Amino acid sequence: MRTSQFLISTLKEDPKEAAVESHRLMLRAGMIRQIASGIYTWLPTGMRVLSKVQNIVREEMDKTGALEIAMPMVQPAELWKESGRYTKYGPELCRFTDRKENEFALGPTHEEVVTDIARREIKSARQLPICLYQMQNKFRDEIRPRFGVMRGREFLMKDAYSFHMDKESLNKTYQDMYDAYSRVFTRMGLEFRPVEADTGSIGGNHSHEFQALAEAGEDTIAWSDGSSYAANIEMAEALAPTYDRAAPGAEYSEVATPGCHTVDEAAKALGIESNQVLKSLIVHGEKKEDGSNELVMICLRGNHELNEVKAIKIPGIADPLEMATEEEINNFTNAHTGSLGPVGFKGRILVDRTADKMANFACGANKTGFHLINVNWDRDVPSYEVFDLRNVEDGDPSPDGKGTLHLRKGIEVGQVFMLGTKYSEAMKATVKDETGKDVPMIMGCYGIGVTRAIAAVIEQHHDERGIIWPESIAPFKVAIIAIKPSKSQEVKDVAENLYAELQKAGVDVIYDDRDERPGVMFADIELMGIPHIITIGEKSLKDGVIEYKLRKTGEKETIPVNDALKTIMSKFEN
Ligand code: ATP
Ligand code: MG
């Protein structure tokens, strides 16, 4: 490709809307452009990367024996009603009606559609197992689209769905997909960790996420330094402390804490550490028949954070988690949010395992502007339930009993789920077993965020000059920069010749023939992250050499013109 025939859309200035490096660099390198919030066009440079990633994904999927299909993006609401998700999925599901008032949704995922296909097409258990996949744009009306294609509203996903007669067969395909995902992300040059994960709105009972390690990640993963344990913090169990609760001391008493709204403010006013203060939050219980919500108190040690995923798994708690409003709290307790506590609280009280070990602690008095000190469980709060409710922290013991947990930020680039029969039962996707009985097929589903994974690669591979693509997915593998070819026939001839040779050898090469200032061309090529850069100038040609630079390390060397092709090709990783 010649730059004169290509669309180079690099930007000199940093775009203001970009909060993370990958977003900034994808805009600056001319890969993507936003057309509406969370909705992007992929320009030619971006598209070349996207195609290469798609090829890798397709190759690895095909290796597992999965079969490619293309399902529609527009899905009849009927199917979502059958599965029960039409009401449950929430406002991320974009719903609309056609001119005949038929209801539809834009597919955020395809369990319903593929289960419908399976129940129609799969007639006999002998056709199982089967795995169907597609690569297709998904639409999720995300509440906060951000970070460019990392959290878009329209984004490209590879989604696969497998169907089985028995659990063993599902286990095998799950492992095949897990291995294929590991190969995909390795080939893309990502540093990643598979971690145990929650199943969220997709459902099922066993799942792993593939997390690309990056500070810009929205997820936190916990990993053990003493074993292979790794989990999304949503799932990581905080073990109950092994020490005993201290014995209660003096009776509790009330202390004025005017203007204290947070645990830290109360601790300071009381002259104690925040881990001696109880944090009390009020959430909604499940909706009652009259539409109202019971209010439930959740108690944590002052310096701990509530884990919402753990909370919604407790029976009787609203899913998704809803915090009680200030008004509801005032009506129920006569106090403001900053002065809540379990003593005398009239509703259900859930206590975190570590908070349960606190003794002689401080908490809100359910009276605005007051706290209680020397409070003790049982003696002062006779009725409460203990659960694992908090996020694990760096230094906590690993839940498998081996080693200590540490935390890192991750970008979720893929997830694999064992679904079981959630969809096949609801939608009657059955096959006959050997006794002739109709049994629901057992399912798995497997997603890769193709466009998000590209942003994750950039988060891991960039410097102050721009993107540093791994060779496997670079828009071009080699760039030739010709310096003032209009002024030197020799420069022009050598550049044209090398360009032709590289093309003939099947190398993805971009030839910068814009006749721009060298600095401009170099800046663009480095910004675009081309791994191997050749500069051809009149001066070095006098010595019979051209200049080679490896983008990744910045190392430069001169190579003889008559040996150029061979030397450049010897630099390739593959
Ligand atoms: P998240 O927790 O980040 O919202 P998810 O768990 O809801 O994602 P899945 O249903 O597991 O997403 O979808 C499969 C993959 O699609 C994810 O692993 C992720 O890489 C990608 N993905 C999900 N939502 C988005 C989005 N809004 N923009 C880009 N990629 C996304
Ligand atoms: Mg997920």
Side-chain angles (χ1 to χ4, degrees), residues 35 66 69 80 123 266 276 305 312 344 357 398 428 447 490:
I35 117 159
I69 58 174
W80 285 74
K123 302 281 186 299
Q276 293 170 275
E305 268 175 37
I312 58 177
K357 297 291 182 184
S398 177
K428 302 194 178 53
E490 196 189 0

Side-chain angles (χ1 to χ4, degrees), residues 395-519:
D396 277 338
S398 177
D400 66 357
K402 294 178 212 147
T404 301
L405 291 181
H406 302 281
L407 303 181
R408 282 193 80 164
K409 287 287 178 195
I411 301 168
E412 182 198 325
V413 288
Q415 185 165 8
V416 291
F417 300 79
M418 289 192 187
L419 286 176
T421 53
K422 175 177 167 174
Y423 296 92
S424 51
E425 242 170 84
M427 298 179 64
K428 302 194 178 53
T430 59
V431 285
K432 291 205 186 307
D433 68 7
E434 59 275 18
T435 65
K437 199 171 115 224
D438 286 326
V439 291
M441 290 181 265
I442 298 174
M443 292 172 62
C445 78
Y446 320 90
I448 290 181
V450 179
T451 41
R452 180 187 284 182
I454 292 172
V457 172
I458 299 174
E459 288 296 332
Q460 291 184 355
H461 301 272
H462 68 269
D463 63 12
E464 65 289 350
R465 294 193 299 282
I467 303 169
I468 306 175
W469 287 115
E471 243 178 44
S472 56
I473 60 170
F476 299 96
K477 202 163 177 173
V478 177
I480 300 172
I481 296 174
I483 296 176
K484 292 287 161 208
S486 54
K487 293 215 178 101
S488 160
Q489 189 59 41
E490 196 189 0
V491 166
K492 191 163 185 215
D493 290 346
V494 171
E496 291 284 347
N497 190 36
L498 183 60
Y499 176 54
E501 280 188 326
L502 282 163
Q503 277 192 314
K504 207 169 141 206
V507 176
D508 240 343
V509 53
I510 184 158
Y511 169 25
D512 203 339
D513 60 348
R514 284 179 291 175
D515 217 345
E516 274 275 6
R517 280 189 294 118

Side-chain angles (χ1 to χ4, degrees), residues 327-345:
E327 197 192 342
E328 287 171 327
I329 291 173
N330 294 164
N331 289 341
F332 197 68
T333 67
N334 278 328
H336 283 97
T337 324
S339 305
L340 302 175
V343 179
F345 183 75

Side-chain angles (χ1 to χ4, degrees), residues 196 222-231 235-240 353 388 392 396-406:
E196 291 174 22
W223 59 279
S224 169
D225 59 17
S227 71
S228 60
Y229 178 84
M235 282 292 284
E237 185 184 0
L239 296 177
R353 285 168 169 175
D388 172 21
V392 294
D396 277 338
S398 177
D400 66 357
K402 294 178 212 147
T404 301
L405 291 181
H406 302 281

